[in-house]
């Protein structure tokens, strides 16, 4: 029994590739050069790809992958184990109790959350707010963490971060210093940024939130016309799974925003739907639609979440950020 416990502890303590059995300095260098810099990247690789990339026998690649997966606890689990894991999921407040309630307590780690809606509905404001709130201590709804903000449409405003930080009683300069910002210039660049993020997260484990605002803009610009739709959806699917893997592997919250397009064939219900088609519909774990209401008020509606009920709530966008409606 003691040997088994010791073995489990040793597997859990493996945190870098060179600690994996069978990885020499030569193999380590080859793996890193081939784009496998972390245990996580090896755990999700195919043995065939790893074998070719590192110039090692297939059996060696299989053994390295097996060890990597065991060190990350990637294995069959019982439903009870899944339940216990779910209970450890962390949450980031949106600064609106109503919106937090709709989300089951806030923006979840290990999950991708999508906010979609028309221009000016508050999607970017929510992204700014949670980039501030992730820095709060846990007792105030934060994770004592940092944020990565990938901006694809030039909508990021440091002035809003400053105002929201003041609204939370935080030092604005310190808050801004804890948000890593990057502008994605096209869809390939956007995917490359997320590829490189894995290394950044390993370097700085305090990163607890990734925001992509908006996820579809560059893909729509780069792939116009129906003839390019299949290629676009394939790349988009890969990109969304890149983000989901980061969320699951590193216990990070991923938030994406998306625009809507008109559906002229809709006679009943809402005539707008999120762009991105079926690919985007099936990947995010939680999907909310955001709509304008009177004045500063916005309506958030839960569209899809496997563990949360449908419903809608009203919140406000104020000078200090996202807040509960005062009416």
């Amino acid at each position: 029994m003691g040997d088994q416990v010791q073995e489990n502890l040793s597997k859990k303590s493996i945190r870098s590739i060179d600690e994996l059995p069978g990885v020499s300095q030569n193999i380590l260098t080859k793996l890193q050069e081939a784009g496998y810099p972390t245990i996580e990247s090896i755990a999700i690789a195919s043995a065939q790809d790893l074998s070719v990339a590192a110039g090692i026998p297939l059996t060696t690649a299989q053994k390295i992958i097996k060890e990597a997966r065991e060190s990350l606890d990637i294995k069959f689990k019982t439903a009870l184990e899944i339940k216990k894991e779910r209970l450890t999921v962390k949450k980031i407040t949106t600064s609106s109790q109503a919106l937090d309630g709709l989300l089951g307590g806030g923006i979840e780690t290990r999950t991708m959350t999508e906010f979609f809606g028309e221009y000016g509905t508050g999607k970017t404001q929510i992204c700014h707010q949670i980039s501030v709130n992730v820095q709060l201590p846990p007792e105030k709804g934060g994770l004592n963490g940092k944020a990565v903000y990938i901006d694809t449409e030039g909508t990021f405003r440091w002035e809003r971060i400053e105002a929201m930080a003041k609204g939370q009683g935080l030092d604005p300069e310190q808050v801004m210093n804890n948000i890593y910002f990057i502008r994605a210039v096209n869809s390939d660049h956007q995917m490359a940024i997320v590829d490189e993020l894995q290394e950044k997260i390993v370097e700085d484990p305090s990163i607890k939130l990734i925001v992509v605002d908006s996820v579809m803009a560059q893909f729509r610009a780069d792939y116009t016309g129906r003839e390019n739709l299949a290629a676009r959806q394939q790349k988009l699917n890969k990109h969304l799974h890149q983000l989901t893997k980061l969320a699951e592997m590193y216990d990070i919250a991923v938030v994406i925003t998306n625009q809507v397009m008109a559906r002229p064939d809709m006679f009943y219900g809402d005539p707008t739907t999120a762009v991105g088609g079926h690919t985007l519909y099936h990947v995010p774990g939680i999907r909310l639609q955001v709509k304008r209401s009177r004045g500063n008020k916005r309506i958030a509606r839960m569209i899809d979440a496997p563990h949360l009920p449908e419903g809608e709530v009203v919140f406000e966008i104020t000078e200090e950020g996202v807040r509960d409606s005062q009416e």
Side-chain angles (χ1 to χ4, degrees):
M1 183 70 180
D3 291 345
Q4 182 64 47
V5 170
Q6 192 57 45
E7 186 184 338
N8 288 342
L9 284 172
S10 65
K11 286 196 186 303
K12 282 291 206 176
S13 64
I14 294 174
R15 291 309 307 151
S16 60
I17 302 173
D18 56 348
E19 293 173 15
L20 290 170
V23 176
S24 64
Q25 186 58 47
N26 184 34
I27 291 174
L28 174 66
T29 304
K30 285 181 179 176
L31 287 171
Q32 288 172 334
E33 286 174 355
Y36 297 96
T38 63
I39 289 182
E40 287 80 7
S41 61
I42 288 172
I44 59 177
S46 77
Q48 186 68 42
D49 289 347
L50 206 68
S51 168
V52 171
I56 54 177
L58 189 62
T59 51
T60 307
Q62 287 168 337
K63 186 173 187 298
I64 291 170
I65 290 170
K66 182 174 179 285
E67 291 287 348
R69 287 177 179 171
E70 284 182 7
S71 74
L72 293 170
D73 201 25
I74 300 173
K75 59 180 177 29
F76 279 110
K77 296 173 185 175
T78 66
L80 184 59
E81 285 174 313
I82 297 296
K83 177 192 172 183
K84 286 175 181 174
E85 279 186 12
R86 283 287 314 158
L87 293 174
T88 65
V89 163
K90 302 174 190 73
K91 297 182 182 181
I92 307 163
T93 182
T94 61
S95 290
S96 160
Q97 286 187 353
L99 191 50
D100 284 354
L102 188 67
L103 287 158
I107 304 286
E108 293 186 359
T109 58
R110 292 189 226 157
T111 304
M112 184 188 291
T113 303
E114 177 196 358
F115 290 93
F116 70 91
E118 294 175 353
Y119 177 78
T121 50
K123 306 182 299 290
T124 296
Q125 299 294 321
I126 292 168
C127 290
H128 281 63
Q129 187 69 65
I130 57 174
S131 296
V132 172
N133 290 358
V134 70
Q135 303 180 42
L136 291 166
E139 61 271 18
K140 290 189 175 178
L143 301 177
N144 277 330
K146 296 178 183 176
V148 171
Y149 201 112
I150 302 167
D151 179 8
T152 71
E153 296 185 288
T155 50
F156 181 83
R157 296 288 178 269
W158 66 265
E159 295 91 341
R160 291 301 287 145
I161 297 293
E162 187 173 72
M164 290 173 177
K166 287 177 181 173
Q168 294 288 23
L170 299 171
D171 174 13
E173 290 204 357
Q174 193 175 341
V175 166
M176 285 188 267
N177 207 35
N178 287 333
I179 299 172
Y180 295 115
F181 170 86
I182 189 163
R183 178 78 195 270
V185 294
N186 57 39
S187 59
D188 285 332
H189 184 218
Q190 189 172 324
M191 293 180 77
I193 289 165
V194 176
D195 263 339
E196 290 163 17
L197 257 183
Q198 188 158 333
E199 284 184 61
K200 191 158 191 64
I201 293 163
V202 171
E203 285 169 21
D204 189 350
S206 58
I207 294 170
K208 291 295 169 191
L209 170 69
I210 299 168
V211 169
V212 185
D213 182 27
S214 74
V215 76
M216 274 296 299
Q218 298 294 355
F219 287 90
R220 289 181 88 191
D222 294 346
Y223 294 88
T224 56
R226 293 193 74 83
E227 68 277 11
N228 291 315
L229 188 60
R232 184 189 83 176
Q233 297 305 86
Q234 197 173 5
K235 277 187 73 174
L236 177 63
N237 189 41
K238 183 182 177 186
H239 181 51
L240 294 170
H241 280 95
Q242 278 181 308
L243 289 161
T244 305
K245 280 173 187 169
L246 288 179
E248 291 171 355
M249 291 280 188
Y250 296 104
D251 194 19
I252 284 174
V254 172
V255 173
I256 62 174
T257 70
N258 194 11
Q259 304 114 333
V260 294
M261 62 181 179
R263 284 277 307 275
D265 58 330
M266 285 282 285
F267 294 103
Y268 302 100
D270 191 345
T272 58
T273 185
V275 299
H278 294 297
T279 302
L280 202 63
Y281 192 81
H282 291 303
V283 177
I286 299 170
R287 305 181 78 237
L288 292 96
Q289 184 171 17
V290 192
K291 294 181 179 179
R292 274 184 171 277
S293 187
R294 288 177 290 112
N296 293 332
K297 292 182 176 52
R298 303 290 185 271
I299 299 166
R301 183 167 164 238
M302 181 62 71
I303 300 297
D304 186 42
H307 57 295
L308 296 170
E310 287 186 12
E312 63 179 44
V313 298
V314 180
F315 65 97
E316 283 186 13
I317 307 288
T318 71
E319 283 295 314
E320 291 189 334
V322 176
R323 295 292 185 269
D324 278 320
S325 174
Q326 294 307 302
E327 282 185 13

